[in-house]
Amino acid sequence: GCPMKLNRSYFIGPSLDDLELFEEQLEDAGISTPQIHVLSLDDKSLSDHPHLHEVQSLMKQDVVHKSILGALVGIGLASSMLMMAFSFELVSTSAGWMPFVLLSVVILGFSTWMGGFIGIQTPNYKLARFEKILAQGKHVFFVDLELGQAQILEKILKLHPNLERAGTEDGSPHWLVSLQCKVGMIRHS
């Protein structure tokens, strides 16, 4: 089954072998793979650990976050342009509102695209704080847990003394994880 409200816990570990074992133990205890993520700069070693669920490249970047910001900027620009057209009575010409509405759609689209474009080149704002740690060759492991799963994590953590806690926050939105769960079920059946 797939979880509802999620809480994300971050850990830092020096060894991918240890993290792979950690992930397998979590999965055996009933935590689904889409809830578990590993972030590492060592792509070579990651490919030697097929069991580790690597962070999707879309999650590594800030595309979604920056696209939303871009759209908000676009809405602001488009509405101020429409208000100016209205206040200068430019809409009373024979063309009317049409050119201004089209222009505002173009502005909105361009701002959203620009936001996404900037986002592709920016590390995810939630993961950016781990850049130094990753550069030191360590790996970041994070898991999105529903409320009932915290004890499972605590129990398995005791077996991994070299994992360092790196904070908690609200996890992936539930719809994203359940989508990944459904896609995973289709893929594995």
Side-chain angles (χ1 to χ4, degrees):
C2 282
M4 291 305 284
K5 172 81 181 86
L6 299 168
N7 216 334
R8 176 170 292 175
S9 297
Y10 288 94
F11 303 94
I12 295 163
S15 140
L16 284 175
D17 293 336
D18 190 36
L19 291 177
E20 187 168 41
L21 182 63
F22 189 41
E23 174 162 345
E24 285 167 8
Q25 290 166 329
L26 289 171
E27 288 169 350
D28 291 343
I31 291 167
S32 68
T33 312
Q35 290 171 255
I36 303 170
H37 306 276
V38 175
L39 191 62
S40 171
L41 296 181
D42 190 348
D43 292 334
K44 166 81 186 79
S45 299
L46 266 177
S47 60
D48 297 338
H49 295 79
H51 227 119
L52 284 171
H53 187 228
E54 196 186 346
V55 172
Q56 278 101 345
S57 54
L58 192 68
M59 273 180 74
K60 283 185 192 170
Q61 276 105 28
D62 214 8
V63 180
V64 177
H65 182 236
K66 289 275 191 305
S67 297
I68 292 169
L69 289 177
L72 293 173
V73 168
I75 290 169
L77 289 172
S79 19
S80 29
M81 196 260 322
L82 287 171
M83 285 187 328
M84 277 165 52
F86 180 72
S87 58
F88 291 122
E89 294 179 6
L90 299 172
V91 290
S92 56
T93 62
S94 59
W97 280 101
M98 212 50 213
F100 301 103
V101 170
L102 284 174
L103 184 60
S104 64
V105 169
V106 170
I107 291 173
L108 177 60
F110 179 75
S111 304
T112 308
W113 174 82
M114 231 8 243
F117 185 70
I118 293 165
I120 284 177
Q121 300 166 35
T122 321
N124 184 319
Y125 68 109
K126 286 185 172 178
L127 303 177
R129 61 185 164 178
F130 295 118
E131 279 175 350
K132 277 200 185 97
I133 290 159
L134 291 166
Q136 294 163 5
K138 292 182 180 162
H139 317 285
V140 177
F141 184 100
F142 57 100
V143 55
D144 293 324
L145 297 175
E146 51 187 317
L147 298 172
Q149 294 177 321
Q151 316 85 304
I152 301 174
L153 177 69
E154 292 306 321
K155 200 159 58 185
I156 297 172
L157 252 182
K158 291 192 176 90
L159 310 170
H160 299 271
N162 56 354
L163 284 188
E164 196 183 316
R165 286 178 194 269
T168 57
E169 66 187 18
D170 283 343
S172 281
H174 168 249
W175 59 267
L176 190 65
V177 172
S178 62
L179 182 76
Q180 289 177 314
C181 277
K182 288 184 180 80
V183 170
M185 282 170 196
I186 296 162
R187 212 181 291 145
H188 293 119
S189 56

